[in-house]
Amino acid sequence: MWITEHMNLPEELLAAQASGTLVVFAGAGVSVPPPSDLPLFSQLTDQVADRFSRPRKHKNEPEDYFLGRLDEEGLPVHRVVREIISRPSSKPNHIHTDLVRLFKNPEHLRLVTTNFDTHFTTASMEVFGEPVDHYFGPAVPLGRDFSGIVYVHSSVTRPHRELILTDSDFGRAYLTDRWATRFLVPMFQTYTVLFVGYSHRDVVMEYLARGLPPERPKQRFALDEAGNEADWERRRIVPITFPASANE
């Protein structure tokens, strides 16, 4: 597998894998390589901007703020994003499959993703040959006791307005309605979590950093290229680094 070929996983992570207490938390970077060929959140935002011919106010305007501004102007941001992500040519790649294979059986599968595509659903069918439980935000399970795949920001199979895209969407999910936070905090307290496909600068990481409990009854790890260790450690997440060529 790609993960075990290119890095040495910490003993605590391997122990969680063996005991069935591992959660993989996957972000947009997982669905970038072919044949998935889907954009990161910043690239997705640029595609939306091009679709509506509406540039950002400045180059550093946050993606969720920009999308929220377009949404407030009445532009169909959520519908367009759903169209971009759900194009038929996009298929699961080897990372989707390798991450599912970290779990010994469907009962141990605990995979949470902020991605809108459902490539993990397809990959899980390929690996296990049977369907697994699925949840779509805001209808998420108990974070302290679940199995299956949780699409915490909803997915393209759901109504487009359920997608978590704008600053208002994130605010409701993590700060006011807090359904995402109520799921994630007990999950982090119960399971060992491995982040894959995130940048430490990812907008989701910024929201998660506000909600992660300061105590660490369970460890959190993140796969990333070497050079960003200090940023992960500041978020109380242990980096597992790999060379850039491992992504190829």
Side-chain angles (χ1 to χ4, degrees), residues 3-31:
I3 292 175
T4 54
E5 286 176 352
H6 293 284
M7 61 204 71
N8 294 318
L9 299 182
E11 290 185 6
E12 184 172 355
L13 198 60
L14 294 173
Q17 179 189 17
S19 64
T21 58
L22 172 68
V23 170
V24 169
F25 200 136
V30 170
S31 294

Side-chain angles (χ1 to χ4, degrees), residues 221-236:
F221 300 88
L223 298 184
D224 196 7
E225 295 180 7
N228 299 317
E229 291 85 347
D231 295 285
W232 288 114
E233 291 165 356
R234 182 168 59 86
R235 290 170 168 80
R236 305 184 300 278

Side-chain angles (χ1 to χ4, degrees), residues 63-233:
E63 288 87 357
D64 57 327
Y65 288 10
F66 171 71
L67 294 174
R69 181 161 56 84
L70 298 188
D71 185 53
E72 289 175 356
E73 293 175 10
L75 296 173
V77 172
H78 296 77
R79 179 177 58 78
V80 167
V81 165
R82 186 184 180 191
E83 291 173 358
I84 293 172
I85 300 298
S86 60
R87 54 190 179 81
S89 61
S90 180
K91 307 293 182 183
N93 62 52
H94 69 98
I95 304 178
H96 296 104
T97 304
D98 283 354
L99 290 176
V100 172
R101 284 177 177 156
L102 286 176
F103 302 93
K104 296 185 292 186
N105 53 56
E107 291 73 27
H108 283 179
L109 176 65
R110 293 182 177 88
L111 202 152
V112 179
T113 181
T114 54
N115 295 352
F116 303 133
D117 65 81
T118 56
H119 291 332
F120 280 117
T121 297
T122 304
S124 66
M125 281 294 298
E126 292 175 355
V127 172
F128 297 123
E130 60 183 88
V132 300
D133 290 334
H134 294 81
Y135 305 89
F136 303 92
V140 293
L142 295 174
R144 67 178 182 274
D145 184 17
F146 78 99
S147 64
I149 302 175
V150 179
Y151 293 91
V152 71
H153 289 172
S154 196
S155 83
V156 294
T157 63
R158 301 291 301 159
H160 62 263
R161 288 300 309 185
E162 293 184 7
L163 301 180
I164 303 301
L165 284 171
T166 69
D167 51 348
S168 294
D169 296 334
F170 280 104
R172 286 192 297 272
Y174 288 90
L175 300 174
T176 54
D177 295 345
R178 298 186 70 249
W179 53 263
T181 305
R182 285 196 299 271
F183 165 70
L184 292 172
V185 170
M187 184 197 76
F188 289 123
Q189 293 172 331
T190 305
Y191 299 102
T192 298
V193 178
L194 173 64
F195 290 100
V196 185
Y198 287 101
S199 161
H200 66 89
R201 296 177 298 274
D202 191 291
V203 64
V204 174
M205 280 293 127
E206 294 303 322
Y207 281 92
L208 283 174
R210 304 177 197 178
L212 293 178
E215 69 277 5
R216 290 196 303 186
K218 295 295 182 181
Q219 199 80 345
R220 299 184 289 266
F221 300 88
L223 298 184
D224 196 7
E225 295 180 7
N228 299 317
E229 291 85 347
D231 295 285
W232 288 114
E233 291 165 356

